[in-house]
Amino acid sequence: MRGLANLALPALALAAVASLDTRQSNRVVRVVAARSLDPRSSGCPPGQFGFKPSPDEPNVPAAGTLTFANYVASVGPGTPISDREKSCEFEVTLEFPLGCTSGTLLVQPRGDVSLQPGTEAVFTSQNNISPGELGANPPDIRFTESKTFFFENYPLPVRENVLQNQRNVTFTARTRIFVVQPGPVQSASFAVDSLDVSVLGATAC
């Protein structure tokens, strides 16, 4: 019996190491805060920008959600030319685990787009993270036809090496939406109601 017990000990040890390795490999990054950076922003001025943080659930990656009351670009007869393009610059605080983490920082705008034939709507963003590294921007999100509800993916590779107790990382994005109108008759409207930010596939590097 003692021999069987001794044989079981290495197996238990290996299981414990595998469990520890899984916990170290699968990491959760939380979105804990967000704010609009430009009070003169046309897309998210004070009073028209909201934020809901990631749910505080262990081992469950989840998005934080930014909300917009009037982030809308539009063109058409009688519409001011200034409405053709809107922008919103914001800052998001991400809480990373200690150590080196790599994954995909996913920005997901959602809303509605209404286009007449020949018009186009575009979402683009200039991004930065501090500290850490971001990969190259993906292509702009473009619409050439109407969608009553869209939920698009804008993925950015991310790598962080968090030391000591400095776990907060700042992601800054200057987003811009605009519509393209080839002639004076066509009308188009592009509204971003909310935007999710999350880090998916986060693993130890």
Side-chain angles (χ1 to χ4, degrees):
M1 294 295 293
R2 181 179 297 177
L4 291 175
N6 289 339
L7 288 172
L9 288 175
L12 291 173
L14 286 173
V17 170
S19 176
L20 176 61
D21 183 63
T22 299
R23 289 196 300 270
Q24 291 176 340
S25 298
N26 299 324
R27 294 165 170 253
V28 174
V29 179
R30 302 200 180 285
V31 185
V32 296
R35 65 189 181 100
S36 174
L37 291 180
D38 186 358
R40 297 167 299 175
S41 169
S42 59
C44 54
Q48 298 187 16
F49 177 89
F51 173 68
K52 181 181 178 181
S54 302
D56 188 11
E57 299 180 15
N59 303 321
V60 179
T65 301
L66 288 65
T67 57
F68 309 100
N70 192 31
Y71 195 6
V72 182
S74 59
V75 295
T79 304
I81 193 170
S82 59
D83 287 351
R84 178 186 300 268
E85 177 180 323
K86 296 292 178 72
S87 66
C88 174
E89 184 173 5
F90 59 83
E91 176 184 281
V92 172
T93 302
L94 305 166
E95 186 182 80
F96 274 77
L98 295 176
C100 184
T101 301
S102 63
T104 299
L105 197 162
L106 188 60
V107 176
Q108 296 176 290
R110 62 162 67 86
D112 298 278
V113 58
S114 176
L115 300 175
Q116 287 189 345
T119 59
E120 183 179 13
V122 182
F123 171 95
T124 186
S125 183
Q126 296 176 346
N127 311 288
N128 184 58
I129 201 162
S130 179
E133 302 173 13
L134 278 180
N137 285 353
D140 296 340
I141 297 172
R142 293 179 177 271
F143 299 93
T144 56
E145 59 184 17
S146 298
K147 280 192 175 182
T148 54
F149 175 81
F150 67 80
F151 188 44
E152 300 293 326
N153 294 327
Y154 190 84
L156 296 158
V158 62
R159 180 185 175 95
E160 292 291 339
N161 192 13
V162 178
L163 304 175
Q164 299 177 350
N165 292 321
Q166 184 60 43
R167 300 178 60 185
N168 285 352
V169 172
T170 302
F171 169 63
T172 304
R174 187 183 188 278
T175 65
R176 186 166 65 99
I177 62 173
F178 60 93
V179 289
V180 179
Q181 175 195 36
V185 178
Q186 291 93 340
S187 296
S189 176
F190 182 20
V192 176
D193 301 324
S194 62
L195 184 148
D196 284 358
V197 177
S198 59
V199 176
L200 301 183
T203 59
C205 43

